[in-house]
Each structure stands twice: as C-alpha cells, then as structure tokens.
mmCIF file with all atom_site columns, all heavy atoms in Angstrom:
data_model
loop_
_atom_site.group_PDB
_atom_site.id
_atom_site.type_symbol
_atom_site.label_atom_id
_atom_site.label_alt_id
_atom_site.label_comp_id
_atom_site.label_asym_id
_atom_site.label_entity_id
_atom_site.label_seq_id
_atom_site.pdbx_PDB_ins_code
_atom_site.Cartn_x
_atom_site.Cartn_y
_atom_site.Cartn_z
_atom_site.occupancy
_atom_site.B_iso_or_equiv
_atom_site.pdbx_formal_charge
_atom_site.auth_seq_id
_atom_site.auth_comp_id
_atom_site.auth_asym_id
_atom_site.auth_atom_id
_atom_site.pdbx_PDB_model_num
ATOM 1   N N   . ALA H 1 1  ? 324.535 -62.071 82.708 1.00 0.00 ? 1  ALA H N   1
ATOM 2   C CA  . ALA H 1 1  ? 323.237 -62.723 82.540 1.00 0.00 ? 1  ALA H CA  1
ATOM 3   C C   . ALA H 1 1  ? 322.341 -62.463 83.747 1.00 0.00 ? 1  ALA H C   1
ATOM 4   O O   . ALA H 1 1  ? 321.143 -62.250 83.619 1.00 0.00 ? 1  ALA H O   1
ATOM 5   C CB  . ALA H 1 1  ? 323.435 -64.226 82.350 1.00 0.00 ? 1  ALA H CB  1
ATOM 6   N N   . SER H 1 2  ? 322.917 -62.457 84.954 1.00 0.00 ? 2  SER H N   1
ATOM 7   C CA  . SER H 1 2  ? 322.101 -62.248 86.143 1.00 0.00 ? 2  SER H CA  1
ATOM 8   C C   . SER H 1 2  ? 321.605 -60.820 86.253 1.00 0.00 ? 2  SER H C   1
ATOM 9   O O   . SER H 1 2  ? 320.587 -60.549 86.871 1.00 0.00 ? 2  SER H O   1
ATOM 10  C CB  . SER H 1 2  ? 322.902 -62.600 87.405 1.00 0.00 ? 2  SER H CB  1
ATOM 11  O OG  . SER H 1 2  ? 323.987 -61.690 87.556 1.00 0.00 ? 2  SER H OG  1
ATOM 12  N N   . GLU H 1 3  ? 322.322 -59.884 85.624 1.00 0.00 ? 3  GLU H N   1
ATOM 13  C CA  . GLU H 1 3  ? 321.906 -58.487 85.674 1.00 0.00 ? 3  GLU H CA  1
ATOM 14  C C   . GLU H 1 3  ? 320.951 -58.127 84.551 1.00 0.00 ? 3  GLU H C   1
ATOM 15  O O   . GLU H 1 3  ? 320.353 -57.067 84.543 1.00 0.00 ? 3  GLU H O   1
ATOM 16  C CB  . GLU H 1 3  ? 323.140 -57.587 85.615 1.00 0.00 ? 3  GLU H CB  1
ATOM 17  C CG  . GLU H 1 3  ? 324.032 -57.707 86.854 1.00 0.00 ? 3  GLU H CG  1
ATOM 18  C CD  . GLU H 1 3  ? 325.353 -56.978 86.667 1.00 0.00 ? 3  GLU H CD  1
ATOM 19  O OE1 . GLU H 1 3  ? 325.535 -56.372 85.583 1.00 0.00 ? 3  GLU H OE1 1
ATOM 20  O OE2 . GLU H 1 3  ? 326.183 -57.014 87.588 1.00 0.00 ? 3  GLU H OE2 1
ATOM 21  N N   . ALA H 1 4  ? 320.811 -59.019 83.573 1.00 0.00 ? 4  ALA H N   1
ATOM 22  C CA  . ALA H 1 4  ? 319.919 -58.728 82.459 1.00 0.00 ? 4  ALA H CA  1
ATOM 23  C C   . ALA H 1 4  ? 318.480 -58.704 82.966 1.00 0.00 ? 4  ALA H C   1
ATOM 24  O O   . ALA H 1 4  ? 318.092 -59.502 83.823 1.00 0.00 ? 4  ALA H O   1
ATOM 25  C CB  . ALA H 1 4  ? 320.066 -59.796 81.374 1.00 0.00 ? 4  ALA H CB  1
ATOM 26  N N   . PRO H 1 5  ? 317.664 -57.782 82.450 1.00 0.00 ? 5  PRO H N   1
ATOM 27  C CA  . PRO H 1 5  ? 316.285 -57.708 82.925 1.00 0.00 ? 5  PRO H CA  1
ATOM 28  C C   . PRO H 1 5  ? 315.505 -58.960 82.562 1.00 0.00 ? 5  PRO H C   1
ATOM 29  O O   . PRO H 1 5  ? 315.675 -59.525 81.490 1.00 0.00 ? 5  PRO H O   1
ATOM 30  C CB  . PRO H 1 5  ? 315.732 -56.469 82.200 1.00 0.00 ? 5  PRO H CB  1
ATOM 31  C CG  . PRO H 1 5  ? 316.606 -56.303 80.995 1.00 0.00 ? 5  PRO H CG  1
ATOM 32  C CD  . PRO H 1 5  ? 317.961 -56.788 81.414 1.00 0.00 ? 5  PRO H CD  1
ATOM 33  N N   . THR H 1 6  ? 314.678 -59.430 83.448 1.00 0.00 ? 6  THR H N   1
ATOM 34  C CA  . THR H 1 6  ? 313.843 -60.590 83.202 1.00 0.00 ? 6  THR H CA  1
ATOM 35  C C   . THR H 1 6  ? 312.389 -60.208 83.382 1.00 0.00 ? 6  THR H C   1
ATOM 36  O O   . THR H 1 6  ? 312.047 -59.296 84.127 1.00 0.00 ? 6  THR H O   1
ATOM 37  C CB  . THR H 1 6  ? 314.188 -61.733 84.186 1.00 0.00 ? 6  THR H CB  1
ATOM 38  O OG1 . THR H 1 6  ? 314.019 -61.257 85.523 1.00 0.00 ? 6  THR H OG1 1
ATOM 39  C CG2 . THR H 1 6  ? 315.624 -62.195 83.991 1.00 0.00 ? 6  THR H CG2 1
ATOM 40  N N   . ALA H 1 7  ? 311.535 -60.919 82.661 1.00 0.00 ? 7  ALA H N   1
ATOM 41  C CA  . ALA H 1 7  ? 310.106 -60.642 82.755 1.00 0.00 ? 7  ALA H CA  1
ATOM 42  C C   . ALA H 1 7  ? 309.585 -61.056 84.131 1.00 0.00 ? 7  ALA H C   1
ATOM 43  O O   . ALA H 1 7  ? 309.958 -62.099 84.652 1.00 0.00 ? 7  ALA H O   1
ATOM 44  C CB  . ALA H 1 7  ? 309.357 -61.404 81.667 1.00 0.00 ? 7  ALA H CB  1
ATOM 45  N N   . GLY H 1 8  ? 308.752 -60.208 84.722 1.00 0.00 ? 8  GLY H N   1
ATOM 46  C CA  . GLY H 1 8  ? 308.196 -60.520 86.031 1.00 0.00 ? 8  GLY H CA  1
ATOM 47  C C   . GLY H 1 8  ? 307.156 -61.614 85.937 1.00 0.00 ? 8  GLY H C   1
ATOM 48  O O   . GLY H 1 8  ? 306.700 -61.977 84.841 1.00 0.00 ? 8  GLY H O   1
ATOM 49  N N   . PRO H 1 9  ? 306.755 -62.176 87.061 1.00 0.00 ? 9  PRO H N   1
ATOM 50  C CA  . PRO H 1 9  ? 305.744 -63.226 87.043 1.00 0.00 ? 9  PRO H CA  1
ATOM 51  C C   . PRO H 1 9  ? 304.398 -62.694 86.600 1.00 0.00 ? 9  PRO H C   1
ATOM 52  O O   . PRO H 1 9  ? 304.068 -61.536 86.839 1.00 0.00 ? 9  PRO H O   1
ATOM 53  C CB  . PRO H 1 9  ? 305.716 -63.700 88.505 1.00 0.00 ? 9  PRO H CB  1
ATOM 54  C CG  . PRO H 1 9  ? 306.216 -62.528 89.295 1.00 0.00 ? 9  PRO H CG  1
ATOM 55  C CD  . PRO H 1 9  ? 307.229 -61.850 88.416 1.00 0.00 ? 9  PRO H CD  1
ATOM 56  N N   . TRP H 1 10 ? 303.633 -63.547 85.943 1.00 0.00 ? 10 TRP H N   1
ATOM 57  C CA  . TRP H 1 10 ? 302.302 -63.146 85.500 1.00 0.00 ? 10 TRP H CA  1
ATOM 58  C C   . TRP H 1 10 ? 301.423 -62.908 86.724 1.00 0.00 ? 10 TRP H C   1
ATOM 59  O O   . TRP H 1 10 ? 301.433 -63.706 87.662 1.00 0.00 ? 10 TRP H O   1
ATOM 60  C CB  . TRP H 1 10 ? 301.698 -64.229 84.621 1.00 0.00 ? 10 TRP H CB  1
ATOM 61  C CG  . TRP H 1 10 ? 300.382 -63.853 84.011 1.00 0.00 ? 10 TRP H CG  1
ATOM 62  C CD1 . TRP H 1 10 ? 300.184 -63.172 82.855 1.00 0.00 ? 10 TRP H CD1 1
ATOM 63  C CD2 . TRP H 1 10 ? 299.083 -64.124 84.547 1.00 0.00 ? 10 TRP H CD2 1
ATOM 64  N NE1 . TRP H 1 10 ? 298.846 -62.997 82.626 1.00 0.00 ? 10 TRP H NE1 1
ATOM 65  C CE2 . TRP H 1 10 ? 298.144 -63.572 83.645 1.00 0.00 ? 10 TRP H CE2 1
ATOM 66  C CE3 . TRP H 1 10 ? 298.627 -64.770 85.684 1.00 0.00 ? 10 TRP H CE3 1
ATOM 67  C CZ2 . TRP H 1 10 ? 296.780 -63.657 83.848 1.00 0.00 ? 10 TRP H CZ2 1
ATOM 68  C CZ3 . TRP H 1 10 ? 297.255 -64.854 85.901 1.00 0.00 ? 10 TRP H CZ3 1
ATOM 69  C CH2 . TRP H 1 10 ? 296.347 -64.310 84.985 1.00 0.00 ? 10 TRP H CH2 1
ATOM 70  N N   . ALA H 1 11 ? 300.697 -61.820 86.732 1.00 0.00 ? 11 ALA H N   1
ATOM 71  C CA  . ALA H 1 11 ? 299.883 -61.470 87.898 1.00 0.00 ? 11 ALA H CA  1
ATOM 72  C C   . ALA H 1 11 ? 298.490 -61.058 87.434 1.00 0.00 ? 11 ALA H C   1
ATOM 73  O O   . ALA H 1 11 ? 298.349 -60.164 86.593 1.00 0.00 ? 11 ALA H O   1
ATOM 74  C CB  . ALA H 1 11 ? 300.525 -60.341 88.690 1.00 0.00 ? 11 ALA H CB  1
ATOM 75  N N   . PRO H 1 12 ? 297.443 -61.679 87.978 1.00 0.00 ? 12 PRO H N   1
ATOM 76  C CA  . PRO H 1 12 ? 296.089 -61.265 87.630 1.00 0.00 ? 12 PRO H CA  1
ATOM 77  C C   . PRO H 1 12 ? 295.732 -59.944 88.297 1.00 0.00 ? 12 PRO H C   1
ATOM 78  O O   . PRO H 1 12 ? 296.030 -59.730 89.468 1.00 0.00 ? 12 PRO H O   1
ATOM 79  C CB  . PRO H 1 12 ? 295.225 -62.409 88.173 1.00 0.00 ? 12 PRO H CB  1
ATOM 80  C CG  . PRO H 1 12 ? 296.016 -62.948 89.323 1.00 0.00 ? 12 PRO H CG  1
ATOM 81  C CD  . PRO H 1 12 ? 297.466 -62.790 88.946 1.00 0.00 ? 12 PRO H CD  1
ATOM 82  N N   . VAL H 1 13 ? 295.094 -59.063 87.555 1.00 0.00 ? 13 VAL H N   1
ATOM 83  C CA  . VAL H 1 13 ? 294.592 -57.811 88.118 1.00 0.00 ? 13 VAL H CA  1
ATOM 84  C C   . VAL H 1 13 ? 293.178 -58.013 88.664 1.00 0.00 ? 13 VAL H C   1
ATOM 85  O O   . VAL H 1 13 ? 292.811 -57.453 89.690 1.00 0.00 ? 13 VAL H O   1
ATOM 86  C CB  . VAL H 1 13 ? 294.598 -56.695 87.055 1.00 0.00 ? 13 VAL H CB  1
ATOM 87  C CG1 . VAL H 1 13 ? 294.016 -55.407 87.619 1.00 0.00 ? 13 VAL H CG1 1
ATOM 88  C CG2 . VAL H 1 13 ? 296.005 -56.455 86.556 1.00 0.00 ? 13 VAL H CG2 1
ATOM 89  N N   . ILE H 1 14 ? 292.402 -58.828 87.964 1.00 0.00 ? 14 ILE H N   1
ATOM 90  C CA  . ILE H 1 14 ? 291.044 -59.152 88.378 1.00 0.00 ? 14 ILE H CA  1
ATOM 91  C C   . ILE H 1 14 ? 290.884 -60.662 88.357 1.00 0.00 ? 14 ILE H C   1
ATOM 92  O O   . ILE H 1 14 ? 291.304 -61.327 87.406 1.00 0.00 ? 14 ILE H O   1
ATOM 93  C CB  . ILE H 1 14 ? 289.994 -58.500 87.452 1.00 0.00 ? 14 ILE H CB  1
ATOM 94  C CG1 . ILE H 1 14 ? 290.088 -56.973 87.518 1.00 0.00 ? 14 ILE H CG1 1
ATOM 95  C CG2 . ILE H 1 14 ? 288.581 -58.949 87.815 1.00 0.00 ? 14 ILE H CG2 1
ATOM 96  C CD1 . ILE H 1 14 ? 289.213 -56.264 86.493 1.00 0.00 ? 14 ILE H CD1 1
ATOM 97  N N   . ALA H 1 15 ? 290.308 -61.217 89.401 1.00 0.00 ? 15 ALA H N   1
ATOM 98  C CA  . ALA H 1 15 ? 289.947 -62.630 89.436 1.00 0.00 ? 15 ALA H CA  1
ATOM 99  C C   . ALA H 1 15 ? 288.435 -62.751 89.355 1.00 0.00 ? 15 ALA H C   1
ATOM 100 O O   . ALA H 1 15 ? 287.703 -61.899 89.873 1.00 0.00 ? 15 ALA H O   1
ATOM 101 C CB  . ALA H 1 15 ? 290.468 -63.300 90.709 1.00 0.00 ? 15 ALA H CB  1
ATOM 102 N N   . PHE H 1 16 ? 287.962 -63.805 88.692 1.00 0.00 ? 16 PHE H N   1
ATOM 103 C CA  . PHE H 1 16 ? 286.526 -64.020 88.588 1.00 0.00 ? 16 PHE H CA  1
ATOM 104 C C   . PHE H 1 16 ? 286.237 -65.517 88.525 1.00 0.00 ? 16 PHE H C   1
ATOM 105 O O   . PHE H 1 16 ? 287.106 -66.319 88.172 1.00 0.00 ? 16 PHE H O   1
ATOM 106 C CB  . PHE H 1 16 ? 285.936 -63.299 87.371 1.00 0.00 ? 16 PHE H CB  1
ATOM 107 C CG  . PHE H 1 16 ? 286.488 -63.747 86.042 1.00 0.00 ? 16 PHE H CG  1
ATOM 108 C CD1 . PHE H 1 16 ? 285.859 -64.741 85.299 1.00 0.00 ? 16 PHE H CD1 1
ATOM 109 C CD2 . PHE H 1 16 ? 287.640 -63.166 85.520 1.00 0.00 ? 16 PHE H CD2 1
ATOM 110 C CE1 . PHE H 1 16 ? 286.356 -65.151 84.071 1.00 0.00 ? 16 PHE H CE1 1
ATOM 111 C CE2 . PHE H 1 16 ? 288.152 -63.568 84.294 1.00 0.00 ? 16 PHE H CE2 1
ATOM 112 C CZ  . PHE H 1 16 ? 287.519 -64.564 83.561 1.00 0.00 ? 16 PHE H CZ  1
ATOM 113 N N   . ALA H 1 17 ? 285.020 -65.874 88.884 1.00 0.00 ? 17 ALA H N   1
ATOM 114 C CA  . ALA H 1 17 ? 284.592 -67.268 88.855 1.00 0.00 ? 17 ALA H CA  1
ATOM 115 C C   . ALA H 1 17 ? 283.815 -67.525 87.579 1.00 0.00 ? 17 ALA H C   1
ATOM 116 O O   . ALA H 1 17 ? 282.969 -66.721 87.172 1.00 0.00 ? 17 ALA H O   1
ATOM 117 C CB  . ALA H 1 17 ? 283.743 -67.588 90.082 1.00 0.00 ? 17 ALA H CB  1
ATOM 118 N N   . ALA H 1 18 ? 284.094 -68.675 86.941 1.00 0.00 ? 18 ALA H N   1
ATOM 119 C CA  . ALA H 1 18 ? 283.386 -69.073 85.731 1.00 0.00 ? 18 ALA H CA  1
ATOM 120 C C   . ALA H 1 18 ? 283.494 -70.585 85.577 1.00 0.00 ? 18 ALA H C   1
ATOM 121 O O   . ALA H 1 18 ? 284.572 -71.158 85.777 1.00 0.00 ? 18 ALA H O   1
ATOM 122 C CB  . ALA H 1 18 ? 283.953 -68.373 84.496 1.00 0.00 ? 18 ALA H CB  1
ATOM 123 N N   . GLY H 1 19 ? 282.394 -71.221 85.239 1.00 0.00 ? 19 GLY H N   1
ATOM 124 C CA  . GLY H 1 19 ? 282.415 -72.653 84.975 1.00 0.00 ? 19 GLY H CA  1
ATOM 125 C C   . GLY H 1 19 ? 282.828 -73.508 86.148 1.00 0.00 ? 19 GLY H C   1
ATOM 126 O O   . GLY H 1 19 ? 283.254 -74.645 85.960 1.00 0.00 ? 19 GLY H O   1
ATOM 127 N N   . GLY H 1 20 ? 282.755 -72.989 87.366 1.00 0.00 ? 20 GLY H N   1
ATOM 128 C CA  . GLY H 1 20 ? 283.180 -73.734 88.536 1.00 0.00 ? 20 GLY H CA  1
ATOM 129 C C   . GLY H 1 20 ? 284.646 -73.590 88.854 1.00 0.00 ? 20 GLY H C   1
ATOM 130 O O   . GLY H 1 20 ? 285.130 -74.184 89.824 1.00 0.00 ? 20 GLY H O   1
ATOM 131 N N   . SER H 1 21 ? 285.392 -72.794 88.066 1.00 0.00 ? 21 SER H N   1
ATOM 132 C CA  . SER H 1 21 ? 286.816 -72.553 88.292 1.00 0.00 ? 21 SER H CA  1
ATOM 133 C C   . SER H 1 21 ? 287.054 -71.078 88.590 1.00 0.00 ? 21 SER H C   1
ATOM 134 O O   . SER H 1 21 ? 286.153 -70.253 88.435 1.00 0.00 ? 21 SER H O   1
ATOM 135 C CB  . SER H 1 21 ? 287.637 -72.979 87.064 1.00 0.00 ? 21 SER H CB  1
ATOM 136 O OG  . SER H 1 21 ? 287.522 -74.366 86.808 1.00 0.00 ? 21 SER H OG  1
ATOM 137 N N   . ILE H 1 22 ? 288.284 -70.756 89.007 1.00 0.00 ? 22 ILE H N   1
ATOM 138 C CA  . ILE H 1 22 ? 288.688 -69.364 89.232 1.00 0.00 ? 22 ILE H CA  1
ATOM 139 C C   . ILE H 1 22 ? 289.661 -68.959 88.135 1.00 0.00 ? 22 ILE H C   1
ATOM 140 O O   . ILE H 1 22 ? 290.646 -69.671 87.874 1.00 0.00 ? 22 ILE H O   1
ATOM 141 C CB  . ILE H 1 22 ? 289.355 -69.177 90.612 1.00 0.00 ? 22 ILE H CB  1
ATOM 142 C CG1 . ILE H 1 22 ? 288.427 -69.637 91.735 1.00 0.00 ? 22 ILE H CG1 1
ATOM 143 C CG2 . ILE H 1 22 ? 289.758 -67.722 90.812 1.00 0.00 ? 22 ILE H CG2 1
ATOM 144 C CD1 . ILE H 1 22 ? 287.185 -68.818 91.915 1.00 0.00 ? 22 ILE H CD1 1
ATOM 145 N N   . TYR H 1 23 ? 289.394 -67.827 87.496 1.00 0.00 ? 23 TYR H N   1
ATOM 146 C CA  . TYR H 1 23 ? 290.238 -67.308 86.420 1.00 0.00 ? 23 TYR H CA  1
ATOM 147 C C   . TYR H 1 23 ? 290.779 -65.933 86.807 1.00 0.00 ? 23 TYR H C   1
ATOM 148 O O   . TYR H 1 23 ? 290.233 -65.249 87.681 1.00 0.00 ? 23 TYR H O   1
ATOM 149 C CB  . TYR H 1 23 ? 289.443 -67.193 85.114 1.00 0.00 ? 23 TYR H CB  1
ATOM 150 C CG  . TYR H 1 23 ? 289.068 -68.527 84.515 1.00 0.00 ? 23 TYR H CG  1
ATOM 151 C CD1 . TYR H 1 23 ? 287.917 -69.193 84.928 1.00 0.00 ? 23 TYR H CD1 1
ATOM 152 C CD2 . TYR H 1 23 ? 289.877 -69.128 83.554 1.00 0.00 ? 23 TYR H CD2 1
ATOM 153 C CE1 . TYR H 1 23 ? 287.581 -70.432 84.397 1.00 0.00 ? 23 TYR H CE1 1
ATOM 154 C CE2 . TYR H 1 23 ? 289.534 -70.364 83.006 1.00 0.00 ? 23 TYR H CE2 1
ATOM 155 C CZ  . TYR H 1 23 ? 288.394 -71.010 83.429 1.00 0.00 ? 23 TYR H CZ  1
ATOM 156 O OH  . TYR H 1 23 ? 288.075 -72.229 82.905 1.00 0.00 ? 23 TYR H OH  1
ATOM 157 N N   . GLY H 1 24 ? 291.832 -65.529 86.122 1.00 0.00 ? 24 GLY H N   1
ATOM 158 C CA  . GLY H 1 24 ? 292.396 -64.208 86.309 1.00 0.00 ? 24 GLY H CA  1
ATOM 159 C C   . GLY H 1 24 ? 292.645 -63.546 84.969 1.00 0.00 ? 24 GLY H C   1
ATOM 160 O O   . GLY H 1 24 ? 292.900 -64.228 83.966 1.00 0.00 ? 24 GLY H O   1
ATOM 161 N N   . VAL H 1 25 ? 292.557 -62.237 84.938 1.00 0.00 ? 25 VAL H N   1
ATOM 162 C CA  . VAL H 1 25 ? 292.882 -61.464 83.738 1.00 0.00 ? 25 VAL H CA  1
ATOM 163 C C   . VAL H 1 25 ? 293.888 -60.399 84.129 1.00 0.00 ? 25 VAL H C   1
ATOM 164 O O   . VAL H 1 25 ? 293.743 -59.743 85.165 1.00 0.00 ? 25 VAL H O   1
ATOM 165 C CB  . VAL H 1 25 ? 291.611 -60.843 83.102 1.00 0.00 ? 25 VAL H CB  1
ATOM 166 C CG1 . VAL H 1 25 ? 290.849 -59.981 84.094 1.00 0.00 ? 25 VAL H CG1 1
ATOM 167 C CG2 . VAL H 1 25 ? 291.968 -60.038 81.853 1.00 0.00 ? 25 VAL H CG2 1
ATOM 168 N N   . ASP H 1 26 ? 294.953 -60.248 83.336 1.00 0.00 ? 26 ASP H N   1
ATOM 169 C CA  . ASP H 1 26 ? 295.963 -59.246 83.651 1.00 0.00 ? 26 ASP H CA  1
ATOM 170 C C   . ASP H 1 26 ? 295.661 -57.943 82.930 1.00 0.00 ? 26 ASP H C   1
ATOM 171 O O   . ASP H 1 26 ? 294.663 -57.826 82.194 1.00 0.00 ? 26 ASP H O   1
ATOM 172 C CB  . ASP H 1 26 ? 297.372 -59.757 83.338 1.00 0.00 ? 26 ASP H CB  1
ATOM 173 C CG  . ASP H 1 26 ? 297.630 -59.964 81.850 1.00 0.00 ? 26 ASP H CG  1
ATOM 174 O OD1 . ASP H 1 26 ? 296.754 -59.629 81.025 1.00 0.00 ? 26 ASP H OD1 1
ATOM 175 O OD2 . ASP H 1 26 ? 298.711 -60.479 81.507 1.00 0.00 ? 26 ASP H OD2 1
ATOM 176 N N   . ALA H 1 27 ? 296.521 -56.954 83.121 1.00 0.00 ? 27 ALA H N   1
ATOM 177 C CA  . ALA H 1 27 ? 296.274 -55.621 82.567 1.00 0.00 ? 27 ALA H CA  1
ATOM 178 C C   . ALA H 1 27 ? 296.286 -55.619 81.042 1.00 0.00 ? 27 ALA H C   1
ATOM 179 O O   . ALA H 1 27 ? 295.691 -54.741 80.424 1.00 0.00 ? 27 ALA H O   1
ATOM 180 C CB  . ALA H 1 27 ? 297.313 -54.636 83.099 1.00 0.00 ? 27 ALA H CB  1
ATOM 181 N N   . ALA H 1 28 ? 296.966 -56.610 80.439 1.00 0.00 ? 28 ALA H N   1
ATOM 182 C CA  . ALA H 1 28 ? 297.024 -56.691 78.986 1.00 0.00 ? 28 ALA H CA  1
ATOM 183 C C   . ALA H 1 28 ? 295.842 -57.442 78.401 1.00 0.00 ? 28 ALA H C   1
ATOM 184 O O   . ALA H 1 28 ? 295.735 -57.574 77.182 1.00 0.00 ? 28 ALA H O   1
ATOM 185 C CB  . ALA H 1 28 ? 298.332 -57.362 78.563 1.00 0.00 ? 28 ALA H CB  1
ATOM 186 N N   . GLY H 1 29 ? 294.963 -57.960 79.244 1.00 0.00 ? 29 GLY H N   1
ATOM 187 C CA  . GLY H 1 29 ? 293.805 -58.688 78.760 1.00 0.00 ? 29 GLY H CA  1
ATOM 188 C C   . GLY H 1 29 ? 294.016 -60.181 78.604 1.00 0.00 ? 29 GLY H C   1
ATOM 189 O O   . GLY H 1 29 ? 293.161 -60.872 78.040 1.00 0.00 ? 29 GLY H O   1
#
C-alpha cells in the first residue's frame, strides 16, 4: 500500500484575485 502511487497535492499554476479573495487554477482548469 505504501508503494502504490498516490495523487500529488493540488497545486495552482496561476493565482488571481477576484471578489476580494485569492483563487488558483491548475493545469487542468
């Protein structure tokens, strides 16, 4: 189980400001 591949953490490629908050979008949209 420890050697089985696991999904990596979600990572934003681009960050942007909207509505007074900070958002991120990853490569998959």
Side-chain angles (χ1 to χ4, degrees):
S2 66
E3 293 171 1
T6 58
W10 185 86
V13 177
I14 297 172
F16 61 93
S21 297
I22 303 294
Y23 291 85
V25 56
D26 67 5

